Amino acid sequence: MSRQRSATTTLQRRISVIAIAAAAAAVISVAAYAATPVEIQKQRHEHYEQLGDAFKTVRDNSKGTPDYAALDKALAVIQKATENQQQWFPKGTGPEAGKTRALPEIWSKPDDFTAAQKLFTDKVGPLAAAVKARDVDAIGKAFREVGGSCKNCHDSFRAPE
Amino acid sequence: MAEPVINEGPATAPAPSVSPTRVWDLPTRLVHWSFVIGVAFSWWTAETARMEWHRWGGYALLGVVLFRLYWGFVGGSTARFGNFVRGPRAIGSYLRGAWQATPGHNPLGALSVLALLGLLLLQVVLGLFAVDVDGIESGPLSLYVSFDTGRACAEWHETVFSVLQALILLHIVAVLYYLLFKRQNLIGTMVTGKRVFDAEMAPMTPASTVKLLVGVVLAAALTYAVSQAFQF
């Protein structure tokens, strides 16, 4: 009994250590986010990598028998991106700040850029509906539309590799 | 002073009694020129981001590579690996000029064939697993690997293409060297399948049409299965 209790205490202690560490990491990353344009570029890059990872999951599961748990997770990442993408491009984080494929047009043509971002958000709507409805064919169709909206923005606002 | 001998021209040409010898069977020649078209097409579709076509180009090349591997074991005599791949001693004797020309690859050219075919296979396989930076475009087998692995394959796909380009360039330079300095037209032989030797030679032995059909069906079936990620 007492051994079990002490095991529980150790576990609780471990959890609280992890929680503190996680909180500290969050604070540090927020601090870094506010810190330098280069850091913002790096974070932005990571956001898009997560988005790429999520898109791959959707693509992999857009035919045959999808893994809906994976699709739900990927969709959550994509929807979060539609909500947050406006904040990923603060002024001063273009090519003048460091190596990035983000083109200056993002800041010189803000209306066009916002419209391109909005198109992405708009196209994610039907994808979310298709995933919710567990409709494979609709997922495939909606995914192609989302892919088109990515390309639309990249063609004008991302430098070629 | 003794130079004018060169100008004799026709007198140094092979005696009319020597007829062209069969060197390459039709499948081997078709494979070769399919590689030329396939690599050029894949290069162009990649550069211009036509990824749907790029996948088709990759499937076509995969099918042809698979067929060539099969043909290397059951095809015409000059297409078989067992007949043309030779050791360092043979390569050495070829380099010293002590090699007696016979229909088929010379020992050094055999290395080029292996390298080009191996790289082409590697390149196609990497493409099958590759994922683009946005996770939107990918090879059919990428669903079996993670995003990061798929990205690594895409980067290797680019690197291996540079190596492949270098080897193709070397291949072209070698063929031109034969044409201009050794007065031997390898390109014509790869088109007609025939070459005129200095003396009468035993031609290559072709393989049966049945073997050809079996190979085509096998390569096509396997390629189709890969393109569908083995999910039917």
Side-chain angles (χ1 to χ4, degrees):
Chain A
M1 273 298 254
S2 75
R3 192 179 292 166
Q4 206 171 22
R5 196 173 305 141
S6 81
T8 317
T9 329
T10 315
L11 187 64
Q12 280 172 340
R13 205 172 293 153
R14 257 186 215 156
I15 288 171
S16 49
V17 167
I18 291 169
I20 291 166
V27 168
I28 289 166
S29 65
V30 167
Y33 191 86
T36 67
V38 174
E39 277 299 320
I40 294 172
Q41 288 179 337
K42 220 176 127 190
Q43 298 223 349
R44 181 165 68 212
H45 188 85
E46 273 158 26
H47 285 312
Y48 277 108
E49 279 210 331
Q50 285 162 6
L51 206 47
D53 195 355
F55 281 138
K56 179 182 182 298
T57 303
V58 177
R59 187 184 158 90
D60 290 351
N61 290 289
S62 59
K63 66 172 192 170
T65 330
D67 173 352
Y68 284 111
L71 269 176
D72 287 337
K73 242 169 106 181
L75 185 67
V77 172
I78 296 169
Q79 284 182 311
K80 206 158 171 243
T82 64
E83 290 158 19
N84 296 341
Q85 58 178 346
Q86 285 79 13
Q87 291 138 44
W88 292 350
F89 297 89
K91 270 204 176 101
T93 62
E96 72 279 6
K99 197 168 168 276
T100 176
R101 287 172 71 193
L103 289 173
E105 280 77 5
I106 290 171
W107 297 277
S108 67
K109 296 177 183 166
D111 292 347
D112 293 354
F113 184 62
T114 306
Q117 287 188 315
K118 187 177 175 300
L119 185 68
F120 169 55
T121 307
D122 292 347
K123 296 294 182 185
V124 169
L127 178 66
V131 171
K132 210 171 169 191
R134 302 307 196 220
D135 182 343
V136 192
D137 293 337
I139 292 170
K141 225 176 122 191
F143 177 65
R144 277 192 292 280
E145 291 280 315
V146 173
S149 77
C150 297
K151 190 181 178 303
N152 168 65
C153 189
H154 293 163
D155 285 350
S156 313
F157 299 105
R158 182 173 72 174
E161 270 180 297
Chain B
M1 291 274 182
E3 295 303 306
V5 176
I6 284 170
N7 294 332
E8 280 185 17
T12 57
S17 64
V18 180
S19 53
T21 307
R22 257 193 102 177
V23 177
W24 310 118
D25 57 17
L26 183 62
T28 304
R29 283 177 279 148
L30 285 178
V31 163
H32 177 270
W33 296 112
S34 303
F35 283 160
V36 176
I37 295 167
V39 170
F41 179 78
S42 296
W43 187 3
W44 173 67
T45 52
E47 289 296 322
T48 54
R50 291 174 164 88
M51 298 320 284
E52 190 62 35
W53 291 6
H54 189 71
R55 271 187 290 273
W56 281 102
Y59 299 152
L61 279 171
L62 175 65
V64 178
V65 170
L66 290 175
F67 173 80
R68 183 61 186 86
L69 292 176
Y70 164 90
W71 207 236
F73 293 98
V74 305
S77 57
T78 51
R80 294 195 190 194
F81 300 120
N83 288 344
F84 71 75
V85 179
R86 293 190 179 83
R89 197 181 302 172
I91 295 167
S93 87
Y94 174 77
L95 287 173
R96 284 193 306 275
W99 181 263
Q100 178 61 49
T102 53
H105 298 293
N106 69 56
L108 190 61
L111 293 184
S112 168
V113 173
L114 289 186
L116 283 165
L117 203 54
L119 270 180
L120 211 46
L121 179 64
L122 175 65
Q123 177 66 349
V124 171
V125 170
L126 283 170
L128 294 174
F129 290 94
V131 178
D132 81 334
V133 70
D134 306 314
I136 304 281
E137 299 285 356
S138 55
L141 299 186
S142 66
L143 81 166
Y144 296 115
V145 300
S146 70
F147 180 66
D148 289 341
T149 306
R151 288 300 299 138
C153 288
E155 269 152 37
W156 277 104
H157 194 57
E158 258 191 271
T159 308
V160 169
F161 186 60
S162 302
V163 180
L164 191 60
Q165 281 178 307
L167 265 190
I168 290 171
L169 188 66
L170 180 68
H171 173 64
I172 293 170
V173 168
V175 168
L176 289 178
Y177 170 79
Y178 271 82
L179 184 66
L180 301 174
F181 296 98
K182 298 187 84 169
R183 298 279 161 202
Q184 223 185 88
N185 186 355
L186 302 180
I187 306 163
T189 303
M190 194 43 86
V191 173
T192 64
K194 292 183 176 127
R195 175 181 159 186
V196 178
F197 285 91
D198 294 339
E200 208 71 62
M201 289 260 177
M204 59 146 309
T205 333
S208 72
T209 314
V210 175
K211 281 181 176 167
L212 169 66
L213 290 177
V214 169
V216 169
V217 170
L218 279 179
L222 189 51
T223 302
Y224 176 74
V226 167
S227 74
Q228 300 300 306
F230 304 101
Q231 293 176 336
F232 306 104

